């Protein structure tokens, strides 16, 4: 449609909304009967050319996500279990939502590494999941590969993600789509 046509005054017929309602009912019904036919025939062993749309029974069945999706943050650990984070504050500085709060302390056990976080909180209620914190980190200490997308809560304070929680989170490959050798998605 030409963009100027969009702003033409409506005709009397269009003002009744009947053409719009009829067209949308037709479209909905078409998809409903098409999918119903496809799935019903599939049940008795007949496969049509069109597969019929698929609904994931979430939350029982999780729809696989692509690895590029940024999900809940986690903090990576060193071999001794301490955080890789050196409290350089780069992530806190670069965060456009200003939702990272780090308090640093001296790392006395290891003189080569001056600092470590005493506390490291992220307010997921403010986070826009841009991934800048991951990009900015010089230590690969923060990642967004947990596959966790369920972050809703009933209070703002519960949206705070603390250091202990983030250190205990692990990547979850089960939640991600799998690829074959040619790079195609494996269903
Ligand atoms: S993903 Fe973006 S908004 Fe969220 S904590 Fe990281 S830098 Fe801040
Ligand atoms: S997570 Fe990375 S960027 Fe953020 S303070 Fe720690 S070391 Fe620095």
């Amino acid at each position: 449609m030409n963009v100027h046509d969009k702003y033409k005054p409506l005709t009397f017929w269009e003002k009744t909304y009947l053409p719009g309602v009829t067209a949308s009912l037709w479209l909905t019904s078409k998809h409903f009967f098409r999918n119903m036919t496809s799935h019903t025939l599939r049940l008795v062993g007949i496969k049509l050319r069109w597969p019929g749309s698929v609904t994931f029974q979430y939350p029982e069945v999780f729809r696989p996500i692509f690895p590029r999706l940024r999900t809940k943050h986690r903090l990576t650990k060193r071999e001794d279990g301490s955080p890789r984070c050196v409290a350089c504050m780069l992530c806190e500085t670069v965060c456009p939502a200003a939702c990272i709060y780090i308090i640093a302390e001296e790392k006395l056990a290891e003189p080569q590494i001056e600092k470590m976080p005493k506390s490291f909180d992220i307010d997921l209620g403010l986070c826009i999941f841009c991934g800048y914190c991951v990009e900015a980190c010089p230590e690969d200490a923060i990642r967004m590969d947990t596959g966790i997308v369920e972050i809703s809560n009933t209070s703002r304070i519960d949206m705070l993600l603390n250091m202990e929680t983030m250190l205990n989170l692990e990547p979850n490959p089960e939640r991600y789509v799998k690829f074959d050798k040619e790079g195609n998605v494996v269903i």
Side-chain angles (χ1 to χ4, degrees):
M1 182 196 281
N2 185 323
V3 71
H4 298 292
D5 291 345
K6 265 173 69 178
Y7 300 108
K8 277 185 183 166
L10 296 180
T11 62
F12 170 76
W13 181 233
E14 285 169 333
K15 280 182 188 169
T16 65
Y17 292 108
L18 283 175
V21 171
T22 313
S24 49
L25 279 177
W26 158 247
L27 190 66
T28 307
S29 310
K30 190 177 86 173
H31 285 291
F32 173 76
F33 287 110
R34 181 188 162 103
N35 289 326
M36 178 78 104
T37 308
S38 171
H39 288 302
T40 309
L41 290 178
R42 193 173 281 250
L43 276 180
V44 293
I46 304 170
K47 280 190 184 174
L48 297 181
R49 255 190 316 118
W50 68 88
S53 60
V54 178
T55 302
F56 286 86
Q57 300 297 319
Y58 182 84
E60 286 79 20
V61 180
F62 187 82
R63 181 180 179 172
I65 52 179
F66 277 81
R68 66 169 179 240
L69 183 74
R70 292 183 283 268
T71 55
K72 198 181 221 175
H73 311 64
R74 72 181 174 99
L75 291 175
T76 56
K77 291 185 268 196
R78 297 177 191 276
E79 278 173 11
D80 63 2
S82 64
R84 287 191 65 83
C85 175
V86 293
C88 68
M89 308 290 181
L90 271 178
C91 56
E92 186 180 297
T93 308
V94 80
C95 176
C99 65
I100 303 180
Y101 314 97
I102 303 169
I103 297 174
E105 66 179 359
E106 264 187 280
K107 188 162 186 176
L108 298 169
E110 207 166 339
Q112 279 80 18
I113 303 168
E114 289 178 10
K115 290 191 294 174
M116 63 180 284
K118 186 176 178 189
S119 70
F120 192 126
D121 300 291
I122 298 181
D123 188 347
L124 292 181
L126 296 176
C127 173
I128 54 170
F129 287 81
C130 62
Y132 282 9
C133 49
V134 179
E135 298 294 328
C137 181
E139 295 289 325
D140 189 22
I142 183 165
R143 293 192 191 172
M144 297 176 78
D145 59 357
T146 55
I148 301 172
V149 293
E150 299 87 355
I151 58 158
S152 57
N153 254 308
T154 50
S155 71
R156 287 184 178 178
I157 194 74
D158 288 338
M159 296 299 281
L160 268 185
L161 193 57
N162 64 31
M163 187 164 82
E164 286 68 36
T165 308
M166 282 191 279
L167 282 171
N168 285 320
L169 287 173
E170 294 288 340
N172 185 355
E174 290 307 308
R175 285 211 147 185
Y176 290 92
V177 293
K178 312 262 182 309
F179 298 93
D180 62 17
K181 281 184 187 152
E182 278 77 45
N184 301 313
V185 174
V186 180
I187 306 284

